[in-house]
């Protein structure tokens, strides 16, 4: 049983290698995933984690009800990580030491494209109170391009906090 569990763990870690929601050195850290259950489909290169899923890699923390990791082409670096929750949440410490928090009902990270998509009541918050809310927020990590969109029933909201005197000096 232990040997089988270790081989499944090795396959999961191989499938997950890459920079899951990572910036800077986080992508060089091991990924740990805890969940109530997991299912691996070797034919489709898919791992499904369900029930109180908690993923951590370096400073990254992700909490969700369900996480699906797929390697569509079977090659490392092509992984797609989908997280679902009410909402799913993540946090990461940036290179400048500030934390960024996000939440949405659906999160998708395309490792090969370094592209994050947050949908259904998406919110991105930066330590210090700056915040963006929309029905869909996309972020191209490599190009540092962020786009927020609304739907017919809502608008995009951005909150920018003023700098304090201490921050200006």
């Amino acid at each position: 049983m232990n040997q089988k569990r270790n081989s499944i763990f090795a396959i999961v870690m191989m499938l997950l290698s890459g920079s899951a929601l990572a910036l800077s050195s986080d992508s060089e850290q091991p990924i740990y995933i805890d969940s109530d259950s997991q299912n691996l489909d070797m034919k489709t290169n898919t791992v499904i984690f369900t029930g109180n899923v908690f993923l951590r890699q370096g400073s990254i923390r992700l909490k969700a009800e369900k996480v699906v990791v797929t390697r569509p082409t079977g090659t490392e670096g092509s992984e797609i990580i989908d997280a679902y929750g009410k909402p799913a949440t993540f946090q990461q410490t940036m290179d400048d030491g500030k934390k960024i928090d996000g939440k949405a009902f659906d999160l998708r990270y395309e490792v090969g494209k370094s592209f994050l998509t947050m949908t259904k009541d998406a919110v991105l918050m930066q330590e210090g109170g700056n915040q963006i809310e929309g029905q869909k927020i996309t972020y191209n990590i490599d190009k540092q391009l962020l786009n927020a969109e609304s739907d017919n029933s809502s608008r995009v909201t951005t909150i920018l906090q003023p700098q304090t005197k201490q921050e200006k000096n």
Side-chain angles (χ1 to χ4, degrees), residues 33-46:
I33 301 174
D34 294 311
S35 63
D36 292 341
S37 66
Q38 81 174 30
N39 293 296
L40 171 65
D41 184 336
M42 293 173 133
K43 289 182 182 179
T44 63
N45 293 315
T46 302

Side-chain angles (χ1 to χ4, degrees), residues 12-142:
V12 168
M13 294 314 294
M14 184 177 71
L15 185 69
L16 291 173
S17 61
S19 55
L21 303 176
L23 298 174
S24 192
S25 64
D26 281 338
S27 63
E28 299 166 8
Q29 303 300 315
I31 298 171
Y32 300 91
I33 301 174
D34 294 311
S35 63
D36 292 341
S37 66
Q38 81 174 30
N39 293 296
L40 171 65
D41 184 336
M42 293 173 133
K43 289 182 182 179
T44 63
N45 293 315
T46 302
V47 183
I48 300 171
F49 301 90
T50 54
N52 300 311
V53 183
F54 181 67
L55 178 148
R56 64 184 165 94
Q57 181 185 29
S59 73
I60 298 167
R61 303 292 182 262
L62 172 77
K63 293 180 183 178
E65 294 174 16
K66 179 179 179 180
V67 173
V68 179
V69 180
T70 308
R71 185 181 275 173
T73 63
T75 57
E76 187 173 331
S78 66
E79 296 86 3
I80 296 172
I81 301 169
D82 291 299
Y84 307 96
K86 294 182 182 175
T89 62
F90 72 90
Q91 181 182 74
Q92 182 176 19
T93 302
M94 307 306 284
D95 288 333
D96 63 4
K98 290 186 177 180
K99 290 191 183 334
I100 188 165
D101 291 279
K103 64 181 181 177
F105 282 75
D106 298 338
L107 301 171
R108 171 174 271 218
Y109 182 65
E110 299 174 56
V111 174
K113 297 178 182 178
S114 295
F115 196 79
L116 173 67
T117 303
M118 304 168 59
T119 53
K120 298 182 187 169
D121 297 327
V123 179
L124 266 179
M125 300 160 283
Q126 185 181 26
E127 188 175 314
N130 295 333
Q131 183 169 309
I132 299 171
E133 300 175 17
Q135 285 304 307
K136 181 178 182 181
I137 297 174
T138 59
Y139 183 53
N140 184 316
I141 295 169
D142 291 340

